[in-house]
């Protein structure tokens, strides 16, 4: 099991940037695929971005492609989500998640979750 703690959320205006961090502890972090998901009020949790254990392969939802960048530092056991050009529709609770194997876009495939961090983008 991997313990995950997100940070970096906040309230920003449209067009601003934020960087989320997710610190991991427990099992060997570098063995895990990491994903970022988000959930807006009244909506299902959705995939935002994923990264393989080496960091060489990244995956994005179409809605964030070109604006968000996922990265990881296995020495620091941390995964990041750089969010640029934020829009009001990006408002949600953002969660990081971990799994073994390959990146998947479905939340139930992930075994470990953080508590979430709120991102609010005002227009």
């Amino acid at each position: 099991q991997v313990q995950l703690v997100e940070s970096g959320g906040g309230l920003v205006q449209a067009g601003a940037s934020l960087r989320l961090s997710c610190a991991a502890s427990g099992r060997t972090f570098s063995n895990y695929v990491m994903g970022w998901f988000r959930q807006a009020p009244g909506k299902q949790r959705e995939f935002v971005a994923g990264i393989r254990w080496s960091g060489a392969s990244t995956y994005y939802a179409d809605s964030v492609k070109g604006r968000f960048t996922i990265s990881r530092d296995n020495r620091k056991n941390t995964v990041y989500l750089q969010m640029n050009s934020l829009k009001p529709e990006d408002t949600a609770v953002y969660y990081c998640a971990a799994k073994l194997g390959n990146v998947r876009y479905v939340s139930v495939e992930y075994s470990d979750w953080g508590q979430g961090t709120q991102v609010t983008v005002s227009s």
Side-chain angles (χ1 to χ4, degrees):
Q1 188 175 8
V2 178
Q3 290 76 45
L4 304 171
V5 179
E6 302 96 335
S7 61
L11 171 62
V12 297
Q13 290 189 331
S17 298
L18 279 176
R19 188 175 82 155
L20 305 183
S21 300
C22 175
S25 61
R27 295 289 179 90
T28 304
F29 176 71
S30 58
N31 290 345
Y32 285 78
V33 162
M34 300 299 297
W36 284 99
F37 289 76
R38 66 187 182 187
Q39 188 166 18
K43 294 188 177 182
Q44 289 190 331
R45 192 168 297 188
E46 64 174 359
F47 175 83
V48 174
I51 188 166
R52 295 194 68 183
W53 65 271
S54 68
S57 298
T58 56
Y59 307 82
Y60 298 95
D62 288 343
S63 59
V64 306
K65 204 170 291 184
R67 299 187 298 122
F68 291 11
T69 303
I70 188 172
S71 61
R72 67 190 295 164
D73 186 339
N74 288 341
R75 297 168 302 172
K76 295 182 178 180
N77 288 356
T78 301
V79 63
Y80 305 97
L81 185 68
Q82 178 67 43
M83 306 186 295
N84 298 329
S85 302
L86 283 162
K87 304 175 181 180
E89 51 263 44
D90 295 318
T91 296
V93 177
Y94 283 71
Y95 299 89
C96 71
K99 68 180 297 294
L100 296 171
N102 295 316
V103 172
R104 292 288 185 262
Y105 301 111
V106 181
S107 61
V108 295
E109 299 271 1
Y110 289 74
S111 55
D112 301 288
W113 291 84
Q115 82 288 350
T117 186
Q118 177 70 47
V119 172
T120 304
V121 184
S122 63
S123 57

